[in-house]
Amino acid sequence: MTERGILFFDGAMGSMLQARGLKLRELPESLNFTHPDLIKSIHKEYLDAGSNFVSTNTFGANRFKLFKANISVEDAIGAAIKIARDAVSEAGHGCVALDIGPTGRVMMPYGDASFDEIYDAVAEQVRAGVKAGLDARRGDVILLETFTDLKELKASVLAVKENCDLKIFATMSFEESGRTFFGTSVESMVLTLEGLGVSALGVNCSLGPLQLEPIVKKICGLSHIDVIVQPNAGLPVMRDGKSSYDVTPDEFAKYAAKFANIGVSYLGGCCGTTPEHIGKMINAVRAENNFVKRSVNDLTAVCSGSKSVIFDDDFIIIGERLNPTGKKLLQAALRAGDMDYIMREALTQQDQGADILDVNVGLPDIDEADMLSRAVSEIQGVCDLPIQIDSSSYKALEAAARVYTGKPLINSVSGKAESLNNILPIAKKYGACVLGLTLDDNGIAETAEARLKVAEKIVLEAEKFGIARRNILIDCLTLAASAQQELVRETLKAIRLIKDELGVKVTLGISNVSFGLPERKLLNRVMLAAALAQGLDGAIMNPADAGMRETIAAWRLLNNIDKDAKDYIAYCAENFSNDNNKAASAEKVSANDIKSAVIKGLKDEAAGSAKILLRELEPLKVIEEHIVPALDAVGVEYEQGKIFLPQLLQSADAAKAAFACVREAMINKAESKSDSKAGRIIIATVYGDVHDIGKNIVKVILENYNFEDLHLGRDVPADKVIEA
């Protein structure tokens, strides 16, 4: 809760303008110049209703949306802030929130917008706001609202933080499933935004207050910082031939009071809400006078955009296979820039049971910062596991942490002053968990007590940088029993000592213990069991090691994590059959399995599979019997909520790569398309819409069924379609 109790934002601007004559396809921001008094009157109505903040009429005031109207970002935002400031001055109270919505672009690897493009566009908006007089001393803030892509929201948050000192309020729009259109979960949003240091986080738009209630409860149960909620006035309905919303001001106020009572700090409205909705909401909340101070558990957790991993819940497997040390194929792939190999390895480890992926690309002859950030982005395009960003290069760690979608784990910081001073600021800035190694200028501490001292130094220094203890993990460092046999026991003692004394989570890289000895898997398995007995929370290991997975499955049962032995029984049924490797083999993308390649979004694999199939089958058979069924399977998984828009787009790209091979084969054969066409199709994306993913998929399919298409592109005016 804020120091002044619950504070209130205004309601809708767009639906208010539509009710007062905003024309179809007319930019709302243009009214800042043509009808400033109309905008100011709406602001004043909300202020008169009791709002503490009014949001500027700038939701779409970015370079991608304004260029068609020949309006500059600086002019649009400058005019909007002046209008809002005048309204606040005339009302005698209130603060200004610079309203920034999504750019309308889809980010790489799913779309064509880069991280820097989004960052630059939002930074331009922020600088325009500061130039126009936004001032933290007046209580002004930046409102980032209605985002569905967590990566775009992260780029936007960084653009604000690095270009002004204003508080940031950030909200996303969720479906009733508890996920955004791009698949972001509530947990991932909270972990990421809280780590990035926004002042308040929450939800707006998409749903009415009734549908938002379970989502709001979940947010309030997870967030250590203030929560903001701005629901729609229900769902759109038609009344007397006009569009309206189905939640009345009285009903809206009742739900808002409930939100206040579960710990929401800022309340407002989105689509369909009016000054009457806001006024009644404020009266209802103040009448309740029952503001709740939330109690939130301190969880050690990391996340991707769609999946969170909580160390408190279970033993965590950190997949070690994406590290080039001793792996010639991976080294070759990195030097060749072969991202498909890296993505396949990530997916294989996911299939084998990894919870987090360690990603290290350190080779002396590559640009590590560029390659690590690229690898992280590409892996996140096909795999939803959180990533442990692993590098000895500070530059590479920051480059990857910057573009990472979610809350990563940074591997690693040591007790050396140089390491602490360079890595802890990166972890703090990008909201990461950090893994500390129990070594300092004197090398690896030998005794358990000495390792505790190094770990304590790391924890205390991290807290000085503002990194909460829940975001710190310690690696006690496994030494080779072949060389330092007497120190293995000290590693095991250090696990328990550090957990008990510092209250942080502890991990180990297990396989070092067996280096230079025969039957390494046996030693690794026993070391893991011994470490689990001391309270180990996670291990960096090869998830393909059946013995290690068996040990973990048995330990989960014996430690009362696997209730009623359900997981253990299932594991045994799957893995202790006559064909132990059947399940693992079935999950791998084989050379001629185009369906797996399309579902997993692997473009090179899909193209290669298509070429193999074309040796035996006619091109149309490849489409009808392999590519289309693969797309059908993707569609089913999307409808069932097993995959989300990012994975859908990756699958579409993989299918297009396969289609390209088929098309080339058709041209090279006697059945060339030029002989006889099935017909001519005009295809375009309608005016006002720049999204063209579905259209492009249809275009490729039609081409491969021998239709000739007249492709008009996207954002096409109706008269151009009619003319065509």
Side-chain angles (χ1 to χ4, degrees), residues 323-603:
N323 186 319
T325 304
K327 302 181 184 71
K328 292 183 179 179
L329 290 177
L330 178 57
Q331 292 174 12
L334 290 170
R335 291 190 173 101
D338 182 0
M339 286 295 124
D340 256 42
Y341 179 92
I342 293 166
M343 289 188 288
R344 282 198 307 274
E345 187 59 63
L347 289 166
T348 298
Q349 291 187 91
Q350 181 180 39
D351 293 340
Q352 291 166 341
D355 301 298
I356 297 171
L357 296 176
D358 182 87
V359 179
N360 183 313
V361 300
L363 289 174
D365 50 351
I366 66 171
D367 183 341
E368 188 176 352
D370 178 71
M371 180 59 73
L372 187 57
S373 59
R374 184 181 168 199
V376 163
S377 295
E378 292 288 349
I379 290 169
Q380 289 202 296
V382 298
C383 177
D384 67 356
L385 295 184
I387 288 175
Q388 176 173 277
I389 301 170
D390 185 358
S391 177
S392 58
S393 163
Y394 310 138
K395 181 181 177 183
L397 286 176
E398 176 154 24
R402 188 171 183 84
V403 301
Y404 180 85
T405 307
K407 178 181 181 179
L409 174 57
I410 288 180
N411 182 16
S412 54
V413 66
S414 72
K416 297 179 181 180
E418 180 190 1
S419 177
L420 293 165
N421 292 331
N422 281 283
I423 294 177
L424 293 179
I426 296 172
K428 173 61 179 174
K429 179 175 181 178
Y430 298 105
C433 281
V434 64
L435 183 64
L437 307 181
T438 52
L439 64 86
D440 56 17
D441 293 313
N442 298 315
I444 297 175
E446 292 195 349
T447 67
E449 291 76 14
R451 294 185 201 188
L452 170 62
K453 286 184 179 179
V454 177
E456 184 177 30
K457 178 182 179 181
I458 293 170
V459 169
L460 293 177
E461 286 297 315
E463 289 181 331
K464 288 179 185 178
F465 279 93
I467 300 172
R469 196 165 293 212
R470 65 179 178 272
N471 293 324
I472 306 166
L473 298 92
I474 297 294
D475 187 329
C476 294
L477 295 176
T478 306
L479 299 173
S482 59
Q484 295 171 292
Q485 186 175 353
E486 72 281 2
L487 297 186
V488 174
R489 189 167 59 180
E490 294 300 315
T491 297
L492 295 172
K493 286 170 59 180
I495 294 171
R496 176 58 60 193
L497 196 58
I498 289 170
K499 283 178 69 72
D500 289 347
E501 295 293 326
L502 300 179
V504 296
K505 304 301 175 184
V506 177
T507 68
L508 274 182
I510 299 291
S511 59
N512 286 346
V513 74
S514 62
F515 183 78
L517 291 168
E519 298 299 330
R520 294 191 64 183
K521 290 184 178 181
L522 171 60
L523 287 172
N524 292 345
R525 189 164 69 244
V526 175
M527 181 66 179
L528 174 61
L532 286 167
Q534 294 298 317
L536 187 69
D537 298 291
I540 303 171
M541 55 174 270
N542 181 2
D545 189 322
M548 299 280 271
R549 293 203 314 273
E550 290 164 13
T551 301
I552 294 167
W555 175 83
R556 293 181 72 254
L557 166 63
L558 299 175
N559 206 44
N560 200 33
I561 294 173
D562 177 12
K563 300 295 183 181
D564 301 320
K566 291 179 181 177
D567 294 341
Y568 179 78
I569 293 169
Y571 180 88
C572 291
E574 185 177 357
N575 292 279
F576 291 94
S577 63
N578 292 330
D579 184 5
N580 284 348
N581 296 319
K582 183 177 181 181
S585 300
E587 289 296 327
K588 292 183 179 180
V589 181
S590 64
N592 61 355
D593 189 353
I594 197 168
K595 182 176 180 180
S596 292
V598 170
I599 290 173
K600 293 177 183 292
L602 299 173
K603 289 180 280 191

Side-chain angles (χ1 to χ4, degrees), residues 61-135:
N62 62 69
R63 61 176 63 168
F64 306 116
K65 294 181 178 179
L66 291 180
F67 79 95
K68 285 182 244 176
N70 199 28
I71 300 172
S72 75
V73 170
E74 185 174 307
D75 287 346
I77 288 178
I81 289 175
K82 182 181 185 306
I83 294 168
R85 184 74 71 205
D86 288 346
V88 165
S89 179
E90 291 180 20
H93 72 94
C95 306
V96 175
L98 175 58
D99 190 339
I100 298 177
T103 61
R105 300 283 300 281
V106 178
M107 294 185 71
M108 296 176 180
Y110 321 118
D112 60 358
S114 70
F115 189 94
D116 288 342
E117 280 183 290
I118 300 301
Y119 175 95
D120 290 343
V122 177
E124 181 181 28
Q125 293 172 283
V126 174
R127 289 192 295 268
V130 172
K131 184 175 181 180
L134 282 182
D135 192 339

Side-chain angles (χ1 to χ4, degrees), residues 122-167:
V122 177
E124 181 181 28
Q125 293 172 283
V126 174
R127 289 192 295 268
V130 172
K131 184 175 181 180
L134 282 182
D135 192 339
R137 292 168 297 183
R138 291 179 168 182
D140 298 338
V141 301
I142 304 286
L143 176 63
L144 300 171
E145 61 150 317
T146 325
F147 283 77
T148 57
D149 182 355
L150 188 59
K151 188 169 189 174
E152 182 178 16
L153 182 50
K154 177 177 179 176
S156 302
V157 169
L158 291 173
V160 178
K161 288 181 68 176
E162 294 174 357
N163 287 279
C164 74
D165 61 354
L166 294 160
K167 288 184 176 181

